[in-house]
Amino acid sequence: MTQVPGARRRPERLEGAGPAAGASASGAGTSARLGPGARALRLARRHLAFLVLLALAAVARAYVTAAYSTALWFPDSGTYVDRAAWAEPAVDRPWGYSAFLALLNPVTTYREVAVVQHVLGLAMVVLVYVLLQRRGVARWVSLLAVVPLGFDAYLLNIEHFVLAETLFMFLMTVAVVLLLARERPGPLLTATVGIVLGLLTLTRTVGLFLVGVVFVYLVVRLLVRTLRWPAVVAFLGGVAAVLVPYAVWFGSVHGSFGLTDYTGHFLYGRVATFVQCEELEVPERLRPLCPDLPPEERRPGDQFVWFADSPANAVVDGERVWSEEDLAEFATIAIKGQPWDYLRQLLSETVHYVEPGRVSGPQDTCPTWWAFPYPEPVEQYDCTPVLAPGPYGYDEEMVGDLRSYQRYFYTPGPLLGVCVLVGLGALFLRRRGWRDRLDPALLALIGLTLMVGPAATASFDFRYVLPTLAVLPPAAALALRGVFLRRRDEQGPAAEPRPEPAPAAG
């Protein structure tokens, strides 16, 4: 059947959906006769398997909460908490998560902060499932796509930390669902997506990369005429409405317009693991920044950023020796002088995220940070988290159960790699509309960016791959929906009785 140019396509129906809402098989209206309770019961029956999955995911999170008397604590946790009370932008990280803690502080303990984050985790499961169902993905495929969000042990673990990852994931999921739920998002909707991505960037600066990815997606849709230019402009306006005031605020406190002023430190930590100054033309004044040990014996990159004995953090008479500009200059010399070493490290660490297991290399952030701990009663940060302030205690048997669960129930790296390939592969599916090709590719590219970004600017850490669970399995699900629909379409539309021609006059 050919489509009349300019004619609008009928809205896509959910996979396996029955008669249109409000009509029975015989054409008589039925939903008008059903009350809210009856409609809710009908919907619950239709999605009973998902409700069971959601209940089990809630039980898993309740078990984590029961195992520990309070939240889990990473060295960064104290920084976030302290800055929640200062109400001013920090130099090394944006203030978004601290603002979240400040909002919760009057009514919550650290244990309740963890509970709120677990609830956000369940909300992400619901949002992704609803998106996939709205887009017509088969129910069993939608269920498989949200299993990692519901049950990945490392995700359950990170939700219990006083850390920004859960809030970052939630905001990213909200932005993606808002953007992809409607066929042609208008300016108001794309502006809202921009605002959410702006808040996301104030939670973790890697959000800037995601802003760029979504902007490219919108521009491509503009070029293929599935979106109007006011929607793209509104998106940029939404992002600017959040980031520009923050950057002005940051400048009023620290004297420079921006979101952070620690880029030099992060870049130095990135290159300090491989730079060989004897092979480069390093200015004499920057020579003290050269690491002493051979590359294979050096500490992980994050220690070059944060540890007091790092050359980057040298202090004389209470003043830092090196400015951010000095550190950035040193890193630029290293990258330009050893481009293949930098690219090799970038590629190897990106591939590391999709390798089997949770194996740590000598220059990786210690993976035992993200294993369910048996906390010690005193503070110690040798790759083992402690409990947040509050009533100290944990159930040893329950923690043992969680550790056993974590040994087997996490999302395999190779599966994430397959999801990236399947999502990007949707671009090459023929006989599909641009939306069905671009949307899975967008999600796959967001997931890939979440892995490449930290590898390019920071050090390897398994917690950086966890946000990909909200986009990579859905990317594969949307791409497979395209395959299923293609096969169905190739069989031709359902046979419809054609009206018989009217008899000729006379």
Side-chain angles (χ1 to χ4, degrees):
M1 180 183 298
T2 59
Q3 186 174 353
V4 178
R8 298 185 63 181
R9 297 173 58 189
R10 289 185 298 174
E12 298 164 348
R13 294 175 56 190
L14 298 184
E15 180 103 359
S24 65
S26 61
T30 58
S31 63
R33 296 196 298 269
L34 294 176
R39 288 199 297 270
L41 181 60
R42 186 177 182 180
L43 191 64
R45 287 175 177 171
R46 179 178 299 175
H47 300 286
L48 180 60
F50 170 73
L51 294 178
V52 171
L53 181 148
L54 185 64
L56 292 175
V59 169
R61 286 158 172 81
Y63 201 89
V64 176
T65 304
Y68 295 103
S69 62
T70 183
L72 297 177
W73 198 260
F74 186 73
D76 292 354
S77 303
T79 304
Y80 285 121
V81 170
D82 290 342
R83 289 166 183 172
W86 293 352
E88 69 176 35
V91 172
D92 54 347
R93 52 174 57 92
W95 197 63
Y97 185 66
S98 293
F100 173 76
L101 295 177
L103 289 174
L104 295 179
N105 180 53
V107 294
T108 59
T109 63
Y110 292 122
R111 178 187 179 90
E112 290 162 339
V113 169
V115 171
V116 169
Q117 292 180 166
H118 286 309
V119 171
L120 294 181
L122 293 174
M124 287 186 278
V125 176
V126 175
L127 286 171
V128 172
Y129 180 80
V130 169
L131 171 66
L132 295 178
Q133 286 295 282
R134 183 178 179 87
R135 293 295 300 272
V137 175
R139 269 177 237 156
W140 67 272
V141 177
S142 300
L143 287 172
L144 289 178
V146 298
V147 164
L149 275 177
F151 301 102
D152 186 287
Y154 285 88
L155 189 57
L156 299 180
N157 175 271
I158 206 74
E159 288 177 7
H160 209 70
F161 271 90
V162 181
L163 284 175
E165 267 66 27
T166 302
L167 180 61
F168 177 88
M169 283 187 65
F170 176 74
L171 292 173
M172 179 183 69
T173 304
V174 169
V176 164
V177 170
L178 287 174
L179 182 62
L180 301 188
R182 300 192 63 177
E183 182 174 358
R184 290 178 180 265
L188 181 60
L189 187 55
T190 56
T192 304
V193 172
I195 291 171
V196 175
L197 287 178
L199 296 174
L200 173 84
T201 303
L202 296 186
T203 305
R204 280 186 54 203
T205 51
V206 71
L208 275 176
F209 294 126
L210 304 192
V211 170
V213 170
V214 172
F215 175 69
V216 170
Y217 163 83
L218 293 176
V219 170
V220 171
R221 288 199 58 177
L222 179 64
L223 294 176
V224 298
R225 299 182 180 181
T226 61
L227 202 66
R228 296 180 181 272
W229 66 264
V232 181
V233 174
F235 168 77
L236 295 177
V239 174
V242 176
L243 297 188
V244 171
Y246 184 87
V248 171
W249 181 36
F250 184 91
S252 69
V253 175
H254 299 290
S256 61
F257 184 85
L259 305 181
T260 64
D261 194 17
Y262 220 61
T263 304
H265 268 81
F266 288 120
L267 290 176
Y268 176 78
R270 176 70 291 176
V271 304
T273 56
F274 67 81
V275 64
Q276 300 183 59
C277 291
E278 63 275 8
E279 300 179 5
L280 305 176
E281 295 182 2
V282 181
E284 192 63 33
R285 64 183 179 85
L286 297 180
R287 284 278 171 180
L289 289 171
C290 297
D292 297 328
L293 297 174
E296 63 275 7
E297 298 178 17
R298 293 176 192 169
R299 64 180 72 181
D302 64 330
Q303 295 185 19
F304 280 104
V305 176
W306 303 110
F307 279 30
D309 61 349
S310 167
N313 296 320
V315 175
V316 174
D317 297 331
E319 297 290 334
R320 286 189 179 273
V321 173
W322 307 108
S323 67
E324 295 303 307
E325 291 74 17
D326 292 331
L327 297 175
E329 181 184 354
F330 179 86
T332 301
I333 292 171
I335 293 172
K336 289 182 176 179
Q338 298 178 243
W340 297 115
D341 291 323
Y342 175 72
L343 291 175
R344 182 167 57 249
Q345 190 162 35
L346 172 62
L347 180 61
S348 66
E349 292 195 0
T350 301
V351 171
H352 193 2
Y353 284 116
V354 296
E355 290 176 342
R358 286 291 188 269
V359 180
S360 174
Q363 293 183 346
D364 299 342
T365 299
C366 189
T368 55
W369 279 119
W370 318 119
F372 287 105
Y374 292 110
E376 298 293 335
V378 295
E379 287 193 5
Q380 43 85 37
Y381 290 116
D382 54 345
C383 294
T384 304
V386 298
L387 289 176
Y392 175 84
Y394 63 92
D395 187 300
E396 185 171 353
E397 183 175 353
M398 296 181 76
V399 173
D401 292 340
L402 290 172
R403 291 173 71 93
S404 298
Y405 176 83
Q406 191 172 29
R407 192 173 299 119
Y408 303 104
F409 290 91
Y410 61 87
T411 309
L415 178 60
L416 295 177
V418 169
C419 288
V420 171
L421 296 177
V422 172
L424 293 177
L427 286 171
F428 305 99
L429 290 175
R430 297 184 178 181
R431 301 185 184 180
R432 301 300 306 140
W434 278 111
R435 189 186 183 206
D436 288 325
R437 296 163 69 179
L438 288 173
D439 290 1
L442 168 68
L443 295 181
L445 192 56
I446 287 176
L448 186 60
T449 301
L450 289 170
M451 292 185 279
V452 175
T457 59
S459 56
F460 179 90
D461 193 332
F462 277 116
R463 70 169 161 156
Y464 295 148
V465 79
L466 294 176
T468 67
L469 301 183
V471 289
L472 289 183
L478 285 177
L480 293 175
R481 170 191 176 274
V483 172
F484 295 152
L485 284 180
R486 178 187 172 187
R487 290 176 178 174
R488 187 172 64 189
D489 291 346
E490 285 175 350
Q491 297 171 359
E496 298 178 1
R498 294 186 179 182
E500 296 190 7

